[in-house]
Amino acid sequence: MAHHTFTTGQAATGWKTQLREQHAYWVPDVDIKGELPRDLVGTFFRNGPGNDRVGSTLLTHPIDGDGLVVALTFPGDGHVHFNSRFVQSRHRVEEQAAKKMIYRGQMGTDPNSLRANVAALLKAKIGWEKSSTVLTFRNPSNTNVFMWEGKVLSAHETSLPHCLDPTTLETIGEEDLGGTLNLKVLGAHFRYDPILDRLVTLSLKAGVNREPSLAINEYGREWAVKSLQTFHIPGLNYAHDLLLSKHFYIVQMSPFVNVSTVDMYKFFLGFSSPGDAMRYYDNLPCRLVIIARTREIADNVLGGQQWIEADIPDPCHIFHFGNVQEQVEEDGRVVGLELTAVCLGKKFNMEFENKTWLSNASKQPGLMTAFKVQLGDTRDAANDATVRKSPQVTQTVLHQASVEFPVVHPFRHGLPTRYTYMMASSDPKRPHYFTAVLKHDLNGAGTKFWQSEGVTGEPCFIPRGGYASIRELSGQQEDDGYVVVSVYHPKKQTTDFVVLDAQTMELLATIALKHHVPFGFHGTFTPEVFLDGRHAPPLIKAKI
């Protein structure tokens, strides 16, 4: 397998600022190489930090950067429209007007002096000033973007999301979903329930002098509220992603997040940051937290407990899960779970390594890992009773490549799936940035690499048939569809978006841009086109 020839310094230029507030244009036909599938119809949305500095302040880490949302539109006629635009958060608007950084970042970018930090903290403690800009963390709104029932939402995980116009990407404003975001935050990741046709969201606030709070909401069509639940689980101070099955929500209790009053003072004084503090603490538990979706499930499946905790044998941190499926006996009892995740081991931290990747991947790469959970219940036939035992977890590394950002079929969360697509390093000597896409097959035979000529972003799997693939179609295979992924060329400092056949991982088309698009985080696809004009087909109702 051929590997790249660019340097680490050249790769680092992928984080540089997009200088214009917005790019919006039809990609010239001559810049589209190959043939775009005519049944690839819809909009690929992607979010990520669009700047590496605010005013004259160089950002310590990309996670502190402002959200830059990309919309790549496929009308289905061989043409492509490109749009990228900064999310106009209140913090960005104020800082752009002041031409300087005002609000600190979660990863340690602090525009304030120690003297200013001390003064603001003292004023807050004695009640003189409760909402000082010096003590306020910025809302970058830079981690994910998705659509549900007419709303396009751009989200971080420590603040409210922003609602965007799907056609222009103009920022409409902060969104509290009709007052249902009780914690005043929305996590970046969500799940879709294909059986109940629901969007399931996650919000979390860590416990500093209080219990931590995990809110999980379920929304139906037209944002109808189906379930609003808040759980106070001791020790659960971080959850970036969740899994969803028929009966459960699953999150990880990470041993890499320690929350204390002392740490908070360090953060506000500028001696440390939440990002700096993310490292392995051997005194903290590492567990899967399995939460019943309803009270009835808690009573019937978990013996009356709202949640159970299962110790992970080899401590790790999980940012991103793949998928989960339940193991069910013939009598209908749920006896176990099988799930996948990208796991980061004990050496992991959030060092912005070589200015190319978000963590120290050369020392602790992310590994695709499988977990099997035995829920612990066994039948005592002699006494016709259920014997309760602690859940047991086995953990197996599925592939040795350094990977991140796993994605599965977007309409089969909680259903059996074989395939996971993720950005990968195919060069074990350089695991700290990603140049390939790995298609992993749980059955083994279909595992494939697609090697790019640059640095790849998160792949987005797009099922053929769009919404019709929500139900398994007769004769349609799970991986029947396409993969869209960005490729940054460090030597030219330009970005392509490529379309792959998701089954064979062969290149179908390359959309070559004349400029670079800063590296992104997460994105989604909706089978809907929002553009006016000669290329746009009639609108259809959006689901995701």
Side-chain angles (χ1 to χ4, degrees):
M1 184 178 294
H3 295 296
H4 50 79
T5 59
F6 49 82
T7 67
T8 298
Q10 289 170 330
T13 61
W15 294 109
K16 71 178 184 177
T17 298
Q18 175 175 298
L19 297 178
R20 295 173 57 176
E21 265 315 294
Q22 182 179 23
H23 287 285
Y25 57 90
W26 288 98
V27 178
D29 291 348
V30 295
D31 293 333
I32 303 173
K33 309 300 181 184
E35 186 171 348
L36 288 170
R38 294 299 170 124
D39 58 354
L40 176 58
V41 179
T43 305
F44 168 54
F45 292 107
R46 195 196 74 174
N47 202 354
N51 53 323
D52 61 359
R53 66 184 63 240
V54 177
S56 61
T57 303
L58 184 67
L59 300 182
T60 301
H61 196 284
I63 291 176
D64 287 343
D66 294 308
L68 179 76
V69 173
V70 170
L72 200 66
T73 302
F74 300 91
D77 58 3
H79 301 284
V80 178
H81 188 272
F82 177 84
N83 191 2
S84 65
R85 191 168 187 173
F86 279 96
V87 179
Q88 297 300 308
S89 69
R90 175 176 63 84
H91 298 148
R92 176 174 174 82
V93 170
E94 289 182 25
E95 290 173 335
Q96 290 291 100
K99 297 183 179 180
K100 66 177 182 179
M101 190 172 191
I102 300 171
Y103 300 95
R104 66 177 66 209
Q106 294 278 341
M107 300 302 296
T109 311
D110 187 355
N112 310 302
S113 66
L114 175 60
R115 181 177 180 178
N117 288 336
V118 170
L121 192 58
L122 288 174
K123 289 178 182 178
K125 291 296 291 182
I126 63 178
W128 287 1
E129 189 174 14
K130 289 293 187 183
S131 58
S132 168
T133 59
V134 174
L135 301 180
T136 302
F137 287 98
R138 65 205 317 267
N139 176 4
S141 201
N142 64 9
T143 311
N144 203 358
V145 57
F146 63 93
M147 180 169 185
W148 178 260
E149 285 296 277
K151 289 184 184 291
V152 175
L153 299 179
S154 120
H156 184 43
E157 63 186 8
T158 61
S159 309
L160 288 171
H162 288 81
C163 187
L164 310 179
D165 182 290
T167 301
T168 65
L169 299 183
E170 178 183 357
T171 302
I172 299 171
E174 284 192 335
E175 176 67 64
D176 68 357
L177 300 180
T180 60
L181 296 180
N182 296 324
L183 300 182
K184 304 304 179 186
V185 301
L186 179 67
H189 291 281
F190 65 92
R191 295 284 161 166
Y192 172 70
D193 185 332
I195 305 302
L196 298 179
D197 188 28
R198 294 181 183 178
L199 175 76
V200 179
T201 66
L202 157 109
S203 305
L204 186 137
K205 277 200 170 180
V208 182
N209 299 323
R210 64 172 185 264
E211 291 181 309
S213 299
L214 172 70
I216 299 181
N217 297 353
E218 299 191 17
Y219 301 94
R221 295 290 114 208
E222 299 182 355
W223 288 95
V225 175
K226 300 298 183 179
S227 173
L228 301 177
Q229 297 189 78
T230 301
F231 308 95
H232 303 290
I233 302 174
L236 185 64
N237 287 305
Y238 187 80
H240 182 73
D241 195 5
L242 81 160
L243 286 170
L244 177 76
S245 68
K246 180 179 180 180
H247 295 94
F248 305 115
Y249 314 117
I250 299 110
V251 295
Q252 190 214 12
M253 184 180 293
S254 174
F256 286 74
V257 179
N258 186 47
V259 175
S260 70
T261 302
V262 172
D263 284 328
M264 295 306 298
Y265 280 116
K266 288 181 179 179
F267 299 162
F268 286 128
L269 291 173
F271 295 144
S272 181
S273 71
D276 294 332
M278 185 172 275
R279 61 182 183 274
Y280 179 61
Y281 298 89
D282 61 8
N283 63 316
L284 296 181
C286 180
R287 295 171 179 161
L288 293 171
V289 183
I290 302 161
I291 306 168
R293 289 179 66 175
T294 66
R295 185 71 252 176
E296 181 182 7
I297 292 169
D299 292 339
N300 295 338
V301 182
L302 297 184
Q305 301 174 89
Q306 190 68 58
W307 70 83
I308 59 174
E309 299 174 13
D311 288 323
I312 295 174
D314 189 8
C316 62
H317 179 72
I318 297 172
F319 278 119
H320 303 110
F321 289 104
N323 202 8
V324 63
Q325 63 183 76
E326 298 181 352
Q327 302 303 303
V328 182
E329 294 288 335
E330 291 184 0
D331 60 5
R333 288 184 303 116
V334 182
V335 296
L337 301 169
E338 293 186 359
L339 58 104
T340 55
V342 172
C343 293
L344 298 151
K346 292 181 180 180
K347 296 179 182 178
F348 157 75
N349 63 45
M350 290 297 290
E351 173 193 354
F352 184 26
E353 188 176 54
N354 298 314
K355 307 298 183 185
T356 58
W357 183 237
L358 306 174
S359 67
N360 60 336
S362 69
K363 301 179 183 67
Q364 191 61 77
L367 298 175
M368 184 64 171
T369 304
F371 295 91
K372 292 186 177 181
V373 183
Q374 282 187 307
L375 293 183
D377 290 0
T378 57
R379 291 294 297 171
D380 182 351
N383 297 308
D384 190 26
T386 298
V387 179
R388 302 248 173 239
K389 298 181 180 178
S390 298
Q392 299 296 311
V393 178
T394 58
Q395 182 177 1
T396 306
V397 174
L398 296 175
H399 203 285
Q400 290 300 321
S402 174
V403 298
E404 252 303 354
F405 297 176
V407 297
V408 298
H409 194 300
F411 303 140
R412 297 188 184 181
H413 294 165
L415 301 179
T417 52
R418 284 177 56 181
Y419 303 106
T420 305
Y421 301 84
M422 60 208 98
M423 52 199 253
S425 172
S426 58
D427 184 355
K429 295 180 181 179
R430 293 184 173 182
H432 53 277
Y433 47 85
F434 303 98
T435 61
V437 176
L438 172 64
K439 175 189 180 182
H440 184 268
D441 179 3
L442 282 174
N443 293 354
T447 296
K448 296 180 174 69
F449 268 108
W450 177 75
Q451 178 64 49
S452 79
E453 296 179 352
V455 180
T456 53
E458 177 192 63
C460 181
F461 172 72
I462 303 166
R464 191 192 308 272
Y467 301 138
S469 64
I470 291 175
R471 297 289 184 268
E472 294 189 28
L473 302 179
S474 175
Q476 182 178 11
Q477 298 181 4
E478 175 197 331
D479 60 346
D480 184 11
Y482 308 103
V483 172
V484 173
V485 63
S486 64
V487 179
Y488 176 65
H489 298 282
K491 288 185 175 179
K492 297 189 298 181
Q493 297 190 17
T494 59
T495 297
D496 296 343
F497 286 88
V498 301
V499 180
L500 310 177
D501 182 311
Q503 292 185 314
T504 66
M505 296 302 285
E506 294 176 351
L507 178 65
L508 299 178
T510 299
I511 303 158
L513 306 183
K514 302 298 186 185
H515 55 89
H516 101 295
V517 180
F519 292 144
F521 293 155
H522 303 296
T524 54
F525 185 86
T526 183
E528 180 162 354
V529 172
F530 301 98
L531 296 173
D532 298 324
R534 61 188 180 92
H535 298 307
L539 293 178
I540 55 178
K541 190 173 183 180
K543 293 188 177 180
I544 286 185

